[in-house]
Amino acid sequence: KDLYKNDKFLLESKMNEVTVCGRLAMYLQKKFEDFKGYYVDIEYYRLKVPREDANLKKDRIRCDILFHSRGAYYSRVDNLLAIEAKLEGNPDDGGKDMCRLEEFVMPESKNTPEGAVHSTLVGLFLRFGEDCSVMRIIPVDINKEDDES
């Protein structure tokens, strides 16, 4: 709501997705200020040194906006919300982003790169246009056991 009220210019001008996500992250951080030790970051890369193979599909480790604790990953409560977003007019239908969100909410397994963004409690796909529409919410299934653990 704040983004559309205060920064509609960015959306109408078809600014870069990172710019819009950055502004949304600022508003979200303010809304979640009572969550001490948690931050809203854009394009957060939890690994300090990029791995040589970090861009492989199985190793996706960042998203447009992440609400999380910074630093090392210890448990499911370190990653609370992952958001992927697209701007209206982008020819990409968001399919890749939704697949990425599904990867973010998957439980950690022995094949998960150390420090990767995984086991996120909720994944959210947004499409920004004249008004913001939620395309899909992906909650993690905490009862599902990972066969590879």
Side-chain angles (χ1 to χ4, degrees):
K1 186 174 166 181
D2 291 339
L3 178 71
Y4 279 82
K5 178 182 173 191
N6 301 323
D7 296 299
K8 193 161 184 114
F9 170 81
L10 297 177
L11 299 163
E12 292 172 344
S13 301
K14 308 234 186 277
M15 285 291 166
N16 186 288
E17 179 182 296
V18 176
T19 302
V20 175
C21 286
R23 294 299 297 172
L24 178 59
M26 290 171 51
Y27 294 120
L28 290 173
Q29 184 69 57
K30 187 172 181 176
K31 295 286 184 193
F32 293 127
E33 65 187 359
D34 290 340
F35 286 75
K36 302 296 182 209
Y38 288 90
Y39 302 88
V40 180
D41 289 316
I42 60 170
E43 299 291 335
Y44 186 80
Y45 193 83
R46 193 175 289 278
L47 298 177
K48 292 179 182 166
V49 178
R51 291 178 18 178
E52 193 174 304
D53 62 348
N55 288 321
L56 296 175
K57 183 179 179 192
K58 68 181 181 70
D59 289 346
R60 298 216 189 265
I61 52 179
R62 64 181 187 174
C63 60
D64 291 338
I65 301 174
L66 183 63
F67 180 44
H68 66 120
S69 64
R70 289 180 178 153
Y73 174 87
Y74 296 106
S75 73
R76 192 174 291 282
V77 296
D78 285 317
N79 298 319
L80 300 180
L81 174 66
I83 299 174
E84 286 290 326
K86 285 286 177 246
L87 300 180
E88 188 174 74
N90 186 325
D92 184 345
D93 66 358
K96 290 179 184 175
D97 286 344
M98 285 188 263
C99 287
R100 185 179 299 166
L101 283 172
E102 289 172 357
E103 292 174 10
F104 290 144
V105 300
M106 284 183 186
E108 179 181 19
S109 76
K110 66 181 180 182
N111 295 324
T112 303
E114 184 179 337
V117 174
H118 56 80
S119 296
T120 303
L121 289 178
V122 177
L124 177 65
F125 178 73
L126 299 175
R127 181 168 299 277
F128 295 110
E130 287 185 31
D131 57 4
C132 185
S133 59
V134 175
M135 301 300 289
R136 188 164 178 200
I137 298 173
I138 305 168
V140 70
D141 182 355
I142 60 174
N143 297 316
K144 182 179 178 183
E145 292 295 324
D146 188 348
D147 295 335
E148 299 176 10
S149 296

